[in-house]
Amino acid sequence: MREIGHFISGKVIAGKSGRFGEVFDPNTGEVQAKVAFASRSEMEAAIATGAAAQPAWAATNPQRRARVMFKFLELVQNEYDSLAKLLSSEHGKTVADARGDIQRGLEVVEFACGIPHLLKGEFSDSAGPGIDLFSLRQPLGVVAGITPFNFPAMIPMWKFAPAVACGNAFILKPSERDPSVPMRLAELLVAAGLPAGVLNVVNGDKEAVDTLLTDPRVQAIGFVGSSSIAEYIYATGCAHGKRVQCFGGAKNHMIVMPDADMDQAVDALIGAGYGSAGERCMAVSVAVPVGQKTADILVQKLIPRVESLKVGPSTDPQADYGPLVTRAHLDKVKNYVELGVKEGAKLVVDGRNFKLQGYENGNFMGGCLFDEVKPSMRIYREEIFGPVLSVVRAKDYEEAVRLPSEHDYGNGVAIFTRDGDTARDFTSRVNVGMVGVNFAIPVPLSYYTFGGWKRSGFGDLNQHGPDSIRFYTKTKTVTARWPSGIKEGAEFVIPTMR
Ligand code: NAD
């Protein structure tokens, strides 16, 4: 059986702990590889490697660091097809969707190519007599990223591209469910000219993560995953004096106003609700039609569309979506559907018994649609992360603003309307981090920042965009007096710029 080790000091090395996780083929349910779980000492060795390599990398001028990023872009683009297939084979998303996963990561690499400009500090000439004041952005040292299964190319790149471009060394602990693409990306970054040891990929579970959280050499931790783990990482990392940002789960609502273009809204709900089998943190999992008439029309239009979703192997170019990542996750999603029925929601499309001929043991599930979901139900309050859309009927616009605003999660939200006043009012008032207007999955482009609110985000700074440069650097402010001949005698009061 294929064994996936670690990427440390520019080389793939075998795991030594004797502990492994299973990497499945979601299409067949079979184990396709074993991934090594690092011990505390293996992780410590990777941190030491990063700490040794970082000073020279930080001293490499930013134009040279940018050139490595440009070359990396080229190398990834040359391997686009094979990377997308590899990603799809471990995750289960379609190959076309896997290409999008890589593309959204590369956009952050493109952003990081601008690092000479992004790292420019501020300068105030003659802030006092012969005194200039300026600020520098300096790297933190060794930083780490812990990433989820659902975007195995995009999220690692969101983390390591800005971190490394800023002059840090980076330890990536990818998801144990689909580790092969992150490993390959690290090899390509070294092939692009990154010195060995600056980016290390260490596979593992809680033991590896806890080492990162407690080792004093690790200055900052970026995490993406479920909210309960995000809370743990945030609290533990902060308690150990680290800079921490954690992005958690989601329950993204899409409001459909009576004046919306219904066909456009239905297309948006189908794509955003069921694409990638609903395994996206920005998936729409709650549709909120406003008014009974809008709800009736919407549900009637959704039913045939959900029933005719094409579920297929991830290799099938005609498939709308592929299998879920693991059997355990499939079972969890099905249990939520059963719970919804028990809670009294109306299951108007039931995809639980879907079977795909020739792939009977794959993790496939048809689309499910619930109507009459109430805010008190667990299927509304909790993240399901599967191809399940819940319709919560709002009696008016005010209720539609209140639902996402009062929900524990606050990642993304969308409103579909033709009315500019409504869209503007909603955008301003809704208590959620990322908003779409007639746009179902409002993932900002790389030069803006990405981050949710409430239980979807912990910490002060977002991912990518200008916040990523702030997160991965510390600001030093210098007050300098030249020429040196200025003599004012000893001053016993706090200096002021007279
Ligand atoms: P997860 O929380 O199970 O795992 C995320 C990472 O944490 C993995 O690397 C995993 O190995 C590690 N981990 C798991 N349990 C741990 C523990 N007890 N201690 C320390 N580390 C642990 O999440 P997942 O299932 O891989 O990903 C799906 C989740 O990620 C969903 O909740 C989804 O909404 C969320 N997500 C959020 C965003 C965002 O930007 N807000 C983006 C993508 C995914």
Side-chain angles (χ1 to χ4, degrees):
M1 169 137 336
R2 186 165 62 98
E3 233 178 80
I4 302 164
H6 312 293
F7 184 80
I8 298 176
S9 208
K11 291 189 295 288
V12 175
I13 59 164
K16 296 191 204 103
S17 72
R19 294 197 308 118
F20 293 92
E22 291 175 323
V23 178
F24 293 93
D25 173 350
N27 290 307
T28 62
E30 281 163 18
V31 177
Q32 58 163 311
K34 289 199 313 184
V35 58
F37 281 178
S39 62
R40 185 167 189 101
S41 60
E42 286 173 292
M43 181 58 96
E44 283 171 349
I47 296 169
T49 301
Q54 192 267 338
W57 175 240
T60 304
N61 71 44
Q63 309 86 281
R64 287 177 186 272
R65 300 204 300 260
R67 274 176 219 139
V68 173
M69 291 293 153
F70 276 111
K71 185 71 188 169
F72 176 64
L73 274 178
E74 189 189 318
L75 296 184
V76 175
Q77 267 147 1
N78 292 345
E79 281 193 19
Y80 227 119
D81 286 337
S82 60
L83 279 168
K85 283 185 190 138
L86 181 63
L87 193 161
S88 162
S89 74
E90 291 184 353
H91 177 287
K93 62 175 76 178
T94 62
V95 175
D97 198 25
R99 291 180 71 88
D101 190 328
I102 298 166
Q103 174 58 26
R104 293 303 307 247
L106 285 182
E107 288 169 11
V108 172
V109 179
E110 288 167 351
F111 174 77
C113 287
I115 200 67
H117 174 69
L118 294 166
L119 285 180
K120 283 195 289 196
E122 296 156 314
F123 189 92
S124 296
D125 172 51
S126 298
I131 294 173
D132 302 325
L133 197 56
F134 57 97
S135 62
L136 315 172
R137 287 202 168 277
Q138 296 189 324
L140 303 177
V142 179
V143 299
I146 300 149
T147 54
F149 83 86
N150 69 325
F151 280 99
M154 179 184 87
I155 296 182
M157 284 194 261
W158 283 12
K159 301 277 176 217
F160 71 63
V164 161
C166 284
N168 297 290
F170 196 88
I171 313 285
L172 174 68
K173 205 306 280 172
S175 171
E176 63 280 23
R177 285 181 258 178
D178 43 16
S180 293
V181 167
M183 290 283 285
R184 183 65 192 143
L185 290 175
E187 285 179 317
L188 291 177
L189 194 50
V190 168
L194 188 79
V198 175
L199 173 63
N200 301 292
V201 182
V202 183
N203 285 304
D205 59 358
K206 188 168 162 49
E207 184 171 339
V209 173
D210 284 346
T211 309
L212 290 171
L213 291 175
T214 51
D215 191 297
R217 291 167 294 183
V218 176
Q219 303 297 316
I221 306 249
F223 169 87
V224 181
S226 55
S227 290
S228 54
I229 309 293
E231 275 166 335
Y232 166 72
I233 304 250
Y234 189 70
T236 314
C238 289
H240 285 84
K242 301 184 194 312
R243 190 178 282 192
V244 190
Q245 59 171 200
C246 294
F247 301 93
K251 200 78 181 175
N252 306 311
H253 297 53
M254 187 176 125
I255 316 301
V256 183
M257 295 300 291
D259 68 345
D261 176 332
M262 275 305 158
D263 292 328
Q264 185 195 32
V266 168
D267 278 343
L269 280 169
I270 291 294
Y274 299 93
S276 197
E279 293 170 323
R280 290 185 185 135
C281 69
M282 289 294 273
V284 171
S285 49
V286 181
V288 185
V290 174
Q292 286 304 341
K293 197 170 150 217
T294 314
D296 292 341
I297 297 171
L298 187 74
V299 171
Q300 284 319 306
K301 281 182 179 278
L302 280 171
I303 290 172
R305 295 289 299 273
V306 178
E307 284 172 342
S308 59
L309 282 166
K310 187 159 179 346
V311 185
S314 60
T315 45
D316 178 355
Q318 306 302 323
D320 293 326
Y321 66 85
L324 280 84
V325 66
T326 55
R327 166 66 51 168
H329 187 58
L330 174 70
D331 291 344
K332 181 179 153 192
V333 173
K334 285 187 176 173
N335 287 340
Y336 266 116
V337 177
E338 201 178 312
L339 173 70
V341 174
K342 283 196 192 124
E343 288 181 305
K346 224 163 105 186
L347 185 59
V348 290
V349 182
D350 183 357
R352 281 175 295 176
N353 295 323
F354 176 86
K355 280 275 172 238
L356 193 63
Q357 220 187 343
Y359 296 89
E360 284 76 9
N361 295 321
N363 310 323
F364 296 94
M365 178 173 169
C368 291
L369 180 66
F370 276 114
D371 193 5
E372 310 278 0
V373 174
K374 305 290 177 229
S376 57
M377 294 177 181
R378 275 182 57 202
I379 58 159
Y380 173 74
R381 297 200 319 269
E382 297 172 17
E383 183 183 49
I384 299 175
F385 223 55
V388 183
L389 180 66
S390 295
V391 176
V392 179
R393 294 170 174 241
K395 66 175 184 311
D396 54 23
Y397 170 68
E398 283 305 317
E399 189 181 356
V401 180
R402 221 168 35 240
L403 281 164
S405 297
E406 291 180 356
H407 202 283
D408 282 353
Y409 292 115
N411 214 35
V413 70
I415 186 165
F416 275 62
T417 179
R418 288 183 169 110
D419 185 74
D421 285 353
T422 308
R424 191 168 185 280
D425 181 75
F426 182 80
T427 305
S428 154
R429 283 168 58 201
V430 73
N431 186 21
V432 171
M434 291 173 280
V435 183
V437 175
N438 298 317
F439 200 88
I441 306 190
V443 176
L445 287 175
S446 62
Y447 40 97
Y448 282 77
T449 67
F450 177 109
W453 292 359
K454 300 181 279 183
R455 289 197 75 229
S456 298
F458 305 86
D460 306 321
L461 293 167
N462 280 348
Q463 311 187 81
H464 67 63
D467 269 9
S468 64
I469 306 302
R470 293 182 192 113
F471 185 74
Y472 290 118
T473 58
K474 53 196 173 189
T475 305
K476 184 178 278 176
T477 315
V478 182
T479 307
R481 175 150 58 197
W482 296 104
S484 55
I486 298 175
K487 291 196 173 58
E488 291 182 337
E491 285 196 73
F492 294 97
V493 294
I494 179 90
T496 55
M497 303 294 174
R498 288 180 287 246

